[in-house]
Amino acid sequence: MSDAAHWDAIYEGGVEGRSWHQTSATASLSLMDAAGIPAVASVIDIGGAASRLVDDLLARGHRDLTVLDISDTGLALSRSRLGARAATVEWVVADLLTWQPTRMYAVWHDRAVGHFFTTDAERTAYASVLTAAVAPGGHAIIGGFAPDGPTHCSGLEVKRAGLAEFADLVGPAFDLVAEEREAHTTPSGATQSFQWTLWRRRG
Ligand SMILES: C[S@@+](CC[C@H](N)C(=O)[O-])C[C@H]1O[C@@H](n2cnc3c(N)ncnc32)[C@H](O)[C@@H]1O
């Protein structure tokens, strides 16, 4: 089963019961505030699918928003939820690792996506796309399972990451600005340990 078919099948059942679901992207917004991201900043949510981050950012006045995911079924959940507001967002169906950005963004956001890239080749490709997509002086906000977090998500193995592994994932063009841990409570009441990182691309 291709990655797209895997994720489409998952999102066919909706997202509210999925372990990563959250009603508001609190940790992401907190790091955006730490970075001083203004509402005029362009933001791309990598692997955003049905995430409510786009709702939160629209409510904050952002008008240059892109959501990319390998699963159009997942993206459709957000488009349906947003209704008419979806027309103001750019929706991209693509495999992140082979995607070729046609513009640069002020902010790259990735919650629980990069940790699925477990091989050296995938992680090198991630750094390459990240560097091509983020403007000099721009920011990357990336969160995934911490070293004491789960080993799997959605039946797939993940690479748990502390700061050293995140530095390896983003590559040499980025400097660490801030980091924090989060205990995410899943819809079933379990706790998952996340490591969050905020990076700035060198100008
Ligand atoms: C655990 S979910 C997290 C979703 C979202 N970031 C959130 O916080 O609600 C992982 C997401 O990554 C997407 N994904 C997995 N591999 C991908 C790839 N190679 N390119 C783009 N998206 C991918 C999946 O479709 C899924 O929506």
Side-chain angles (χ1 to χ4, degrees):
M1 189 186 268
S2 76
D3 282 353
H6 172 84
W7 287 104
D8 281 346
I10 282 174
Y11 283 120
E12 290 287 348
V15 72
E16 279 77 10
R18 297 294 169 194
S19 58
W20 59 89
H21 179 61
Q22 54 181 0
T23 53
S24 180
T26 312
S28 308
L29 296 174
S30 158
L31 284 171
M32 288 207 183
D33 289 341
I37 305 297
V40 293
S42 54
V43 180
I44 182 162
D45 189 13
I46 292 295
S51 167
R52 307 241 177 142
L53 176 64
V54 65
D55 309 48
D56 294 333
L57 294 177
L58 284 169
R60 285 181 164 211
H62 281 264
R63 291 296 176 264
D64 187 350
L65 298 174
T66 301
V67 184
L68 177 149
D69 204 283
I70 200 168
S71 169
D72 198 28
T73 307
L75 291 171
L77 292 173
S78 281
R79 289 195 295 263
S80 167
R81 187 184 66 243
L82 288 169
R85 288 178 298 159
T88 67
V89 176
E90 174 139 10
W91 306 94
V92 179
V93 183
D95 180 342
L96 163 65
L97 297 186
T98 54
W99 177 56
Q100 297 187 323
T102 54
R103 60 171 289 194
M104 298 185 114
Y105 301 86
V107 181
W108 167 288
H109 175 269
D110 161 358
R111 174 176 180 266
V113 184
H115 65 194
F116 290 109
F117 305 133
T118 57
T119 68
D120 286 348
E122 289 171 330
R123 295 168 73 76
T124 300
Y126 184 100
S128 172
V129 177
L130 170 67
T131 304
V134 177
H139 290 86
I141 296 168
I142 308 177
F145 289 162
D148 59 343
T151 59
H152 289 72
C153 177
S154 314
L156 302 174
E157 184 184 3
V158 304
K159 184 174 176 71
R160 298 183 291 181
L163 296 184
E165 290 79 17
F166 273 106
D168 178 55
L169 180 67
V170 301
F174 290 83
D175 294 315
L176 183 67
V177 177
E179 58 93 11
E180 59 187 51
R181 296 287 288 265
E182 178 200 11
H184 165 63
T185 303
T186 72
S188 64
T191 299
Q192 295 179 332
S193 180
F194 270 72
Q195 173 70 57
W196 281 96
T197 55
L198 167 64
W199 304 86
R200 185 176 183 279
R201 184 168 173 196
R202 288 194 201 112

